Amino acid sequence: MKELFLDEGLEDRVLDDLRHLWETKVMQSKAMEDFRKNNINSSDFVLQLPANYPRTNTQTLATFSLPASLAYPVQIPAGVTLQTASGQLYKVNVPVVVTQAPVGHQPVSNVSQKVPERSEMPAPQPVAVAQNPVLLQEPEPPSAAPHKLFTIPCLPKLDLDYTYSQLSDIVQLDGAADNSDPEEDEDLPLEENDFLGLINAEAIRALKEENGSDSNSISSSSDDGVVDELDPLNSGDDVVEQDIPDLFDTDNVIVCQYDKIHRSKNRWKFHLKDGVMSYGGRDYVFSKAIGEAEW
Amino acid sequence: MAYQLYRNTTLGNSLQESLDELIQITPQLALQVLLQFDKAINAALASRVRNRVNFRGSLNTYRFCDNVWTFVLNDVEFREVTELVKVDKVKIVACDGKSESQQNRTRTVLVLDLPVTTEPRPAVG
């Protein structure tokens, strides 16, 4: 491939960028879970709250886990809500840039302005966001996993406006979910990365479909974060219509070649080969597959 | 010409999206990348994968058009030695696996060996 790229006058770097992007997307897809488990370089970035944080003086670190293969610097725009492994939610009110430090593989963040907020805070505390530059800190924990730290200079502001989609744009695999409704819960398609949160894939899809009345009913019915991809699109439809759109992209799809397809009355036998299967969000391959079905 | 069938896989789709994102890559070059991907994935699947799967389910629809079979199966159980996976609905798109080998076969030349007897013509005389 390099020759082709060089012919076009492009640098090798472009090819590497392509490969990197491609690998990033593939890793993101969770269809290759095993690869990711083997990736010991799971990078966490640690959110360090300033000492003058009113609510907590002791707990200053919140660890977020970003996918290892994210290309740095990562920009987290304002309005994104991050959730730590312990379940606490932090809202980024100010754009954050998480960069990777060159030395020691310790990723470090540069935060221009940032305000975290705790979702558990009962009373709103509107506070002006200070314009402090962010401090870069090295993490204490052992060196196996690189950490990214950034400090939040200011006091929190209670704002229940969870818009996850802006962060999703960075790592999302399945296209832009740029119409997140502030009133809805956090959205997270199935193919997303380690960000925990109120996963609501059907809300995203409903937003994408821009089906106003349906999406409201869907979002209200799925506040508990149940992920069921097929329901929202068929919730208002007839039974008949469910049979017709067999070209769903939410299908579990197998792409393969057939050796022999056989039918006796209504019994079908399939002899397939060299296939790639995708189901349950995971990918599989086979060199041969033999199946039976009745019509 | 390798099948472009595998472009609609996770790998293939992510490649296509990456190609779309990098604007430095001209469409012509992107096409070359995809063609190279087709060759590579076909070769890799044929050579590097060596496992077998059995499955059983009920057939919802079947379609055979342009030598491509498309099935939609319901309540399918995929069984491999290591694990068992059940899905409610699966779509199978299958291209002809046999004709590939046909394309690679050398042409057979039919040689007819007919006995020919020639008798010397009597000299005219």
Side-chain angles (χ1 to χ4, degrees):
Chain A
M1 279 312 300
K2 286 201 173 176
E3 292 86 16
L4 283 177
F5 271 77
L6 289 173
D7 286 345
E8 290 280 329
L10 295 172
E11 300 172 355
D12 277 352
R13 194 180 56 81
V14 179
L15 186 56
D16 285 340
D17 282 347
L18 171 64
R19 184 186 306 145
H20 189 247
L21 253 180
W22 186 16
E23 282 172 4
T24 303
K25 286 181 183 286
V26 172
M27 294 303 212
Q28 306 283 332
S29 73
K30 273 198 174 176
M32 300 180 64
E33 267 180 38
D34 293 335
F35 272 59
R36 305 193 65 215
K37 282 178 193 165
N38 291 339
N39 188 2
I40 47 179
N41 249 351
S42 68
S43 52
D44 300 325
F45 71 84
V46 184
L47 174 68
Q48 179 152 15
L49 305 176
N52 58 352
Y53 193 92
R55 287 275 294 180
T56 59
N57 292 328
T58 54
Q59 191 242 346
T60 58
L61 292 180
T63 302
F64 301 88
S65 154
L66 285 184
S69 52
L70 267 189
Y72 293 102
V74 173
Q75 302 213 334
I76 305 179
V80 172
T81 303
L82 309 172
Q83 184 176 23
T84 69
S86 58
Q88 291 171 344
L89 291 167
Y90 289 85
K91 174 148 195 290
V92 177
N93 277 344
V94 185
V96 176
V97 176
V98 179
T99 58
Q100 193 163 18
V103 178
H105 302 286
Q106 298 284 354
V108 166
S109 69
N110 275 321
V111 178
S112 54
Q113 298 173 355
K114 187 167 192 302
V115 172
E117 76 177 87
R118 304 274 299 268
S119 63
E120 298 94 6
M121 287 190 62
Q125 294 184 9
V127 173
V129 175
Q131 308 285 333
N132 299 335
V134 179
L135 311 170
L136 306 180
Q137 308 252 345
E138 302 286 279
E140 294 92 354
S143 57
H147 289 273
K148 298 174 279 299
L149 281 187
F150 51 92
T151 61
I152 291 77
C154 295
L155 299 176
K157 194 165 44 172
L158 183 65
D159 186 359
L160 291 179
D161 183 2
Y162 302 116
T163 53
Y164 186 80
S165 63
Q166 285 162 335
L167 179 60
S168 309
D169 278 346
I170 301 168
V171 299
Q172 194 166 2
L173 180 63
D174 62 346
D178 52 352
N179 293 329
S180 78
D181 187 350
E183 296 165 355
E184 298 198 358
D185 295 338
E186 292 179 9
D187 296 334
L188 189 62
L190 271 184
E191 302 86 354
E192 274 299 310
N193 52 28
D194 288 339
F195 276 104
L196 310 175
L198 299 178
I199 298 178
N200 197 346
E202 53 180 344
I204 277 192
R205 210 157 274 107
L207 289 169
K208 286 182 191 173
E209 301 282 325
E210 295 194 13
N211 196 346
S213 59
D214 280 353
S215 70
N216 287 337
S217 63
I218 288 162
S219 66
S220 60
S221 68
S222 58
D223 283 344
D224 53 353
V226 171
V227 176
D228 190 353
E229 295 174 358
L230 296 179
D231 270 349
L233 293 174
N234 290 335
S235 59
D237 295 340
D238 300 339
V239 175
V240 176
E241 283 194 26
Q242 285 179 0
D243 291 341
I244 295 173
D246 63 350
L247 297 176
F248 261 15
D249 57 352
T250 56
D251 263 1
N252 308 304
V253 184
I254 300 180
V255 197
C256 59
Q257 300 175 24
Y258 62 87
D259 272 333
K260 195 173 177 68
I261 305 287
H262 174 78
R263 176 192 70 84
S264 290
K265 295 234 168 97
N266 71 334
R267 283 191 65 83
W268 288 75
K269 295 198 181 173
F270 315 96
H271 291 251
L272 308 171
K273 71 176 186 186
D274 294 340
V276 176
M277 313 188 279
S278 161
Y279 45 77
R282 300 188 62 178
D283 271 10
Y284 307 83
V285 285
F286 63 84
S287 64
K288 272 182 72 120
I290 299 189
E292 289 190 7
E294 285 197 15
W295 180 66
Chain B
M1 182 78 170
Y3 280 129
Q4 300 184 0
L5 170 72
Y6 299 100
R7 293 192 189 178
N8 190 22
T9 54
T10 311
L11 264 183
N13 282 327
S14 48
L15 177 61
Q16 296 195 52
E17 286 174 16
S18 309
L19 284 171
D20 288 339
E21 276 181 24
L22 289 174
I23 56 172
Q24 297 154 304
I25 297 183
T26 65
Q28 177 61 24
L29 187 58
L31 184 63
Q32 292 296 320
V33 171
L34 284 171
L35 288 176
Q36 182 66 25
F37 167 78
D38 293 332
K39 281 190 228 169
I41 191 79
N42 273 284
L45 278 180
S47 57
R48 294 173 68 165
V49 184
R50 279 287 166 256
N51 62 323
R52 210 172 124 146
V53 170
N54 287 326
F55 62 94
R56 172 177 279 281
S58 52
L59 189 62
N60 184 310
T61 60
Y62 57 88
R63 177 184 301 146
F64 183 59
C65 184
D66 285 337
N67 277 326
V68 176
W69 276 104
T70 305
F71 305 101
V72 177
L73 271 61
N74 288 122
D75 298 326
V76 200
E77 209 176 74
F78 288 89
R79 191 176 294 269
E80 201 173 352
V81 176
T82 48
E83 56 193 282
L84 168 69
V85 181
K86 295 192 190 186
V87 287
D88 291 335
K89 184 173 165 189
V90 66
K91 182 159 94 161
I92 302 182
V93 179
C95 284
D96 196 347
K98 293 166 292 181
S99 72
E100 284 270 60
S101 58
Q102 282 177 6
Q103 286 167 14
N104 291 337
R105 272 212 315 247
T106 57
R107 288 169 182 260
T108 56
V109 178
L110 199 58
V111 176
L112 297 175
D113 201 12
L114 299 175
V116 176
T117 58
T118 54
E119 291 179 2
R121 298 190 65 174
V124 176

